[in-house]
Amino acid sequence: MATSANILVLLKFFASKQGSAVIDYTAFCSYLKKYAEHHLADQPALVDYVSDPVPPLQREIDKLQATRQVLVVNTTPTKQAIVVIPFFNDLFADRYKDLLANPGQAFPSELDLPKNIPPDILNRQNATELIFRLLNKPEKVEKTLYGLVMPNDMPTIVLPSIVPAETLISASLAKIRLLLSKGDHHDYFLKKMTISNPGREVSAKNFFLAFADKPDAGLDMLKNSGDLFYLWNQLCYFIRQDYEKIKEYTTEDVSRLQAVQIIEIAASYYKDVAQEHQKKHQAMMALEEQLKRPPYYYTLDAICKFTDQKGDSLLGQYSEEELKNYLHTKSTESIGGSLPELLIFKAQDSEQRYFIRKDKVMNLVVRLSSDARSVIRETITKHWNQVLLQYDALPEMKDQTAFERRLEQEVKIQEPILYALLNATFLPVIDSESSESVEGHIPFFYNGMLIPYSEILLMNRNELYTDARIILPFWYTAPLISWIAKLLFRPAKDKREKTPKNSAELYREEEENKRREENLEAEISKNPNINKKVALREAARIAEQELVPQSSTLDRELESYRRQWNHLLGKIENQNLTEDVNSLIRDYLRKCMRTFKTTSLTLSRIKSIAETLVKAPGMQKIKDSDALNMYIQLYLIKLIKNVPM
C-alpha cells in the first residue's frame, strides 16, 4: 500500500506542473493510474492504483485531510477538486524571501489566497501564542499554513510552517528600520526617544541609532537587548501611537502596524527568555556559593535540596538535567592539566558519591582530622582502660604498627569521610599544590606515601597508654599485687568484654529511645501542648539527620564548628563569646517559638533563621560566617530537641 507521504509528493508535483494548488480529482486519478503502471516494477506497492485508483486514493486523501495537508472541495455540484496546501507553503515562503530583500512589500495575508480557495486551509492561531511556541520549538514540517490572528483587528498574516518565526521578526524589523531611515521620521522619533528618557538620553540615542542606522542590526540586537527591552517597547509604542491617529490606513500603514505588533510580541518573548536566563544564572551562582559552605561535601540528593536566600528550592530555577550537566562539566573539565574544579569521592563500603570543591578539600581534611583526634583519643583510652581492668593487654599498646592499624580502623569507622579523602587519588595532587602555594602548610604525604595516622591525628601511643593506666585503681600498678589479682580475677577469654560501641552508635540508640518515650507520653496524655512539643522535637530530629553525619553526633558537630568561628585564645574570653552567641540564639528562638507550627519547622526554616541571625549586628564581628551559620543551625536543633514538656 502506498504511503500518505508518497501520495502527497505526487500531489505537490502534479500541482506544480499545473501551476495551481487546486487540481481536478478525476485528472489526478488518471495521472496516478498511469504513474503506477509506469513505475510498478520499481515500486510494487503501487499495484493498488493500477486497476481502480479511486478507493485506495480516497483512503489516503482522508488521512491527509485529517492532518490538514489537503482539502477536498466541490468545484461544481458533480465535480470535486483537491486543494494541495503545501503548494501554498512553497508559494508564500518565496514571498518572505522577497520581503526580506524588499521590506516595502506587504506581509502575505489571507486576501492573497485565490478566491476559489476556502479559508479553512489556514490554521488560525493567536499571533502571540503561535510566535512564542514557534520560537520555543521551531517546526521543520511543511504541512501547515498558519494564519496569525493579529491584535486590534489587524488583517491576518499568512505564515507557512516552513518559514521560521525569526524570519517573520526579521522582516518586521526591516520594515521599521526602513521607516526610521527616512529623514523626517528619523529625527522625529529620535527626539521623542531622548525626551522620554531624562538622564538616559545617551543610552536612548545610542539604542535608536544602532537600530535605525545600521543595516546589519536586527534580530541579534533584539535578542541581546539586556536591560534595554523597555526601549524597544517604547519605540513601538511611539510608532503605534502616531499611526493610531490616522483614520484611514493604506496598505503600507497596515503593514507597518503589523510589524510593530510582531516586534512587541518578539520583544516580550526575548525579555522573558533573558529574565529566565538571568534567574537561572543567579540560581547557578547560588549553587556555587552553597558548594563553598560547610560541610563542603554533598551528595546529589543534598545538592538537589539547595535553596536560595528566600528559601525557594534552586531545583526548579534550573532543571535536573541542567544541574547534572553542570556537575558533570565542573567535575571533568580541567585547565592546563590541573584537577577539575569539582571533585568526586566515595566513602568506604558505600556507593554514595560526594561532590566537593577542589579548594575546600584541605580545609575539610584539617577540620575532620582535628574532630577525629578528640573522639578517637577518648575511644581508645576508654577501651584500653576496660582491657586493663580485665588484666588483659592488646598488641597495639606496645607495637607501633598495630597502633597505626587501630588508628586507621578508628578513622574508617568514626570519620568515614576523612578516611575516604585520605585515600582519594586526588589528595596527593592537592596536597602538593597546597605545599607550594600555602605558607605554613603541613604536608600529608611524604615521598608519595600518606604519613602515619598517628602524625595526622597528632597522637602518641605511649601517652594514650599512660592515660589509660593512670585512672586504674592503685593495685593494678603494683607489680606483685596486680600479678596475684590477675591470677584470681582475670575472666576467661570468651567472657572478656568485647570492643565497646563508639559514641555515634550510642548516641543513635539514645535518640531512638527518647523518640519512643516521647511518642508514648504524648499518646498517654493526649495533651495538645505536649503533642505539639513532641512534634517539634521530631521535626528537629528529622532536620538533624540531614545535617549530622551518621558517624558523628550533634554535640561533636557543634564543637567542631564552634572551634572554627571562635578563635579567641583566652579560655574565659572564648567561653564568654560562645555564651553570648548562644544567648542571642536562645532569645531569638523564644520569639519564633510563639509562631512555630509543627508543619513549618523544616530544615529550610531553620536555615532561614540562621541566615537572619548571622546578619544580626552582634554577629558581624565574627569573620567565619559560614561556620557560624552551621553552628546556629545545629544549636537551634539542639534547643528545639530539648524543649521542656
Side-chain angles (χ1 to χ4, degrees):
M1 176 63 69
T3 63
S4 297
N6 290 334
I7 292 299
L8 184 61
V9 170
L10 293 175
L11 285 167
K12 287 175 62 178
F13 176 76
F14 193 74
S16 62
K17 189 176 179 181
Q18 290 192 341
S20 172
V22 183
I23 59 177
D24 183 72
Y25 197 103
T26 305
F28 182 72
C29 284
S30 301
Y31 166 77
L32 182 58
K33 183 177 181 180
K34 293 179 181 178
Y35 180 87
E37 292 173 350
H38 189 266
H39 295 87
L40 185 60
D42 299 331
Q43 303 179 43
L46 294 173
V47 66
D48 292 339
Y49 300 103
V50 174
S51 56
D52 184 7
V54 176
L57 175 61
Q58 186 59 48
R59 289 194 294 270
E60 295 299 325
I61 292 296
D62 291 341
K63 295 177 185 178
L64 293 171
Q65 279 198 107
T67 55
R68 299 181 66 88
Q69 296 180 76
V70 301
L71 192 65
V72 178
V73 297
N74 291 323
T75 53
T76 67
T78 59
K79 197 172 183 180
Q80 284 187 323
I82 304 172
V83 180
V84 185
I85 297 176
F87 178 87
F88 289 111
N89 277 348
D90 296 336
L91 181 66
F92 285 113
D94 292 337
R95 284 281 302 275
Y96 275 94
K97 292 179 183 178
D98 296 338
L99 186 58
L100 289 173
N102 184 10
Q105 296 182 13
F107 285 109
S109 71
E110 58 183 333
L111 299 176
D112 296 327
L113 294 171
K115 293 182 179 179
N116 60 337
I117 300 298
D120 293 345
I121 70 167
L122 290 180
N123 184 358
R124 298 176 186 274
Q125 294 195 26
N126 179 275
T128 302
E129 295 176 359
L130 179 62
I131 291 175
F132 270 55
R133 180 165 60 82
L134 293 179
L135 288 173
N136 273 326
K137 190 176 181 180
E139 293 185 358
K140 297 182 179 180
V141 296
E142 53 177 285
K143 64 182 182 181
T144 308
L145 195 64
Y146 289 114
L148 275 69
V149 180
M150 305 298 294
N152 303 326
D153 298 324
M154 286 286 106
T156 299
I157 295 177
V158 176
L159 180 69
S161 57
I162 58 174
V163 175
E166 292 183 347
T167 300
L168 175 67
I169 298 168
S170 296
S172 302
L173 291 168
K175 280 182 175 295
I176 300 305
R177 187 186 300 107
L178 180 63
L179 168 68
L180 299 179
S181 64
K182 299 178 180 179
D184 294 341
H185 289 94
H186 183 280
D187 297 339
Y188 171 71
F189 285 111
L190 175 58
K191 185 177 181 181
K192 292 195 73 171
M193 290 289 292
T194 52
I195 292 175
S196 300
N197 292 277
R200 300 192 63 180
E201 293 89 352
V202 175
S203 178
K205 181 179 179 180
N206 291 339
F207 162 78
F208 184 90
L209 296 178
F211 172 62
D213 296 347
K214 295 181 181 179
D216 56 341
L219 187 60
D220 288 339
M221 182 179 174
L222 178 59
K223 286 182 179 180
N224 304 306
S225 292
D227 58 347
L228 299 179
F229 281 107
Y230 82 98
L231 292 177
W232 281 106
N233 291 327
Q234 198 175 56
L235 176 60
C236 291
Y237 171 75
F238 289 147
I239 297 173
R240 188 176 68 252
Q241 187 182 47
D242 273 28
Y243 273 91
E244 285 176 349
K245 298 175 183 178
I246 301 174
K247 295 183 179 180
E248 294 184 5
Y249 293 141
T250 64
T251 303
E252 188 177 27
D253 296 337
V254 171
S255 184
R256 287 172 179 169
L257 280 172
Q258 288 174 323
V260 166
Q261 291 172 340
I262 292 169
I263 294 173
E264 286 179 322
I265 293 171
S268 176
Y269 171 81
Y270 289 120
K271 180 182 178 181
D272 291 346
V273 170
Q275 289 177 341
E276 187 67 25
H277 178 76
Q278 179 64 19
K279 183 179 178 181
K280 192 175 296 183
H281 175 71
Q282 291 175 348
M284 286 296 181
M285 294 294 290
L287 169 63
E288 290 187 1
E289 287 301 316
Q290 289 272 21
L291 290 171
K292 294 178 182 178
R293 294 183 176 183
Y296 304 134
Y297 62 97
Y298 298 95
T299 63
L300 179 59
D301 289 340
I303 294 174
C304 290
K305 295 177 182 178
F306 282 173
T307 58
D308 57 19
Q309 293 183 347
K310 298 179 181 178
D312 298 329
S313 175
L314 292 179
L315 187 62
Q317 299 178 42
Y318 47 69
S319 67
E320 186 174 350
E321 183 180 357
E322 288 172 329
L323 172 61
K324 290 181 178 179
N325 289 337
Y326 168 84
L327 295 175
H328 176 74
T329 301
K330 290 291 184 178
S331 59
T332 55
E333 285 188 354
S334 61
I335 301 175
S338 62
L339 290 171
E341 183 179 339
L342 204 61
L343 302 173
I344 302 174
F345 68 94
K346 290 183 180 180
Q348 188 73 14
D349 301 326
S350 172
E351 293 300 317
Q352 185 67 64
R353 300 195 310 165
Y354 294 94
F355 294 88
I356 183 171
R357 288 179 57 87
K358 179 176 67 173
D359 56 351
K360 297 297 181 183
V361 171
M362 294 310 300
N363 292 351
L364 181 59
V365 169
V366 172
R367 179 175 77 83
L368 293 179
S369 298
S370 177
D371 296 346
R373 181 180 186 276
S374 58
V375 177
I376 294 174
R377 183 183 182 90
E378 181 182 1
T379 300
I380 293 178
T381 302
K382 286 183 178 180
H383 181 220
W384 284 7
N385 179 259
Q386 292 296 322
V387 171
L388 292 172
L389 283 172
Q390 295 175 348
Y391 302 98
D392 202 355
L394 296 172
E396 63 208 41
M397 295 177 179
K398 302 295 183 180
D399 181 55
Q400 185 65 27
T401 303
F403 179 64
E404 293 293 345
R405 286 198 297 267
R406 173 65 187 273
L407 290 180
E408 181 178 1
Q409 187 65 20
E410 289 294 335
V411 171
K412 184 177 179 180
I413 294 172
Q414 304 214 50
E415 286 290 356
I417 300 301
L418 174 61
Y419 185 79
L421 288 172
L422 291 175
N423 290 275
T425 55
F426 54 74
L427 189 63
V429 180
I430 296 176
D431 185 64
S432 175
E433 292 176 354
S434 300
S435 300
E436 297 174 359
S437 59
V438 180
E439 186 177 353
H441 170 75
I442 301 175
F444 282 81
F445 289 84
Y446 180 73
N447 290 335
M449 300 294 292
L450 184 69
I451 62 176
Y453 279 86
S454 58
E455 294 185 28
I456 295 174
L457 300 175
L458 302 177
M459 285 190 188
N460 184 283
R461 176 177 53 82
N462 293 326
E463 288 181 1
L464 285 178
Y465 186 62
T466 301
D467 291 342
R469 284 175 55 84
I470 204 169
I471 56 178
L472 292 171
F474 76 92
W475 59 83
Y476 279 84
T477 57
L480 181 59
I481 298 175
S482 64
W483 180 79
I484 297 172
K486 181 177 180 180
L487 293 176
L488 296 175
F489 303 112
R490 184 183 186 185
K493 188 174 182 180
D494 57 343
K495 294 183 179 180
R496 293 173 199 169
E497 187 174 341
K498 298 180 180 179
T499 303
K501 295 180 180 179
N502 60 48
S503 58
E505 292 172 332
L506 294 172
Y507 176 75
R508 304 296 169 196
E509 290 180 2
E510 183 182 354
E511 287 297 307
E512 187 61 32
N513 292 334
K514 285 182 180 179
R515 181 182 287 110
R516 292 197 191 99
E517 291 174 3
E518 288 174 0
N519 290 335
L520 179 61
E521 184 177 352
E523 284 294 324
I524 294 173
S525 69
K526 298 297 181 182
N527 187 323
N529 291 328
I530 292 180
N531 281 331
K532 178 183 177 181
K533 291 175 181 178
V534 171
L536 285 174
R537 287 183 172 186
E538 185 62 25
R541 288 193 181 98
I542 293 172
E544 178 189 2
Q545 290 174 2
E546 297 190 46
L547 290 181
V548 180
Q550 283 293 319
S551 58
S552 185
T553 66
L554 181 59
D555 288 335
R556 278 170 56 185
E557 293 298 306
L558 272 169
E559 180 61 20
S560 173
Y561 287 113
R562 187 197 65 78
R563 289 198 301 267
Q564 289 185 64
W565 62 262
N566 192 342
H567 302 296
L568 296 182
L569 297 178
K571 183 178 180 180
I572 296 177
E573 290 82 357
N574 189 292
Q575 291 175 348
N576 288 341
L577 177 59
T578 301
E579 182 55 33
D580 289 343
V581 170
N582 291 348
S583 298
L584 183 61
I585 299 171
R586 289 195 298 267
D587 292 342
Y588 191 82
L589 181 61
R590 287 192 192 99
K591 299 177 184 177
C592 295
M593 287 292 287
R594 300 170 187 170
T595 59
F596 263 168
K597 295 181 180 179
T598 55
T599 55
S600 66
L601 184 60
T602 61
L603 182 58
S604 177
R605 174 70 170 138
I606 291 172
K607 286 182 177 180
S608 176
I609 295 174
E611 288 285 349
T612 303
L613 284 169
V614 167
K615 296 176 183 177
M619 301 284 199
Q620 293 300 305
K621 293 182 179 180
I622 298 176
K623 295 181 180 180
D624 196 340
S625 58
D626 289 339
L628 177 62
N629 189 309
M630 286 296 297
Y631 177 84
I632 294 172
Q633 292 179 45
L634 293 167
Y635 193 67
L636 285 168
I637 290 173
K638 182 176 182 178
L639 292 174
I640 297 170
K641 280 176 58 180
N642 292 285
V643 171
M645 288 293 189

